[in-house]
Amino acid sequence: MELKITTFYCLCDDFLISKGWRDDPQCTMSTAEVMTAALTAAAFFSGSYE
């Protein structure tokens, strides 16, 4: 499970870099981390975000 979560993060981060996405300097959580949380919830917890 940890390997898949790490893979989700790397894929999201690489995707955002390839699209030229830049996070706001004030944010406390990167866009790749938010995307990883959503993918992890969908993959392992039947879409439950809690």
Side-chain angles (χ1 to χ4, degrees):
M1 185 165 132
E2 289 180 26
L3 180 62
K4 287 185 180 182
I5 294 171
T6 304
T7 303
F8 286 158
Y9 177 77
C10 291
L11 289 173
C12 290
D13 194 46
D14 289 344
F15 173 75
L16 292 170
I17 289 171
S18 72
K19 295 296 181 184
W21 184 265
R22 301 191 119 206
D23 287 329
D24 187 270
Q26 297 177 354
C27 70
T28 58
M29 192 169 175
S30 71
T31 304
E33 291 171 331
V34 173
M35 292 171 66
T36 301
L39 289 172
T40 301
F44 300 116
F45 304 109
S46 303
S48 176
Y49 294 102
E50 290 181 25

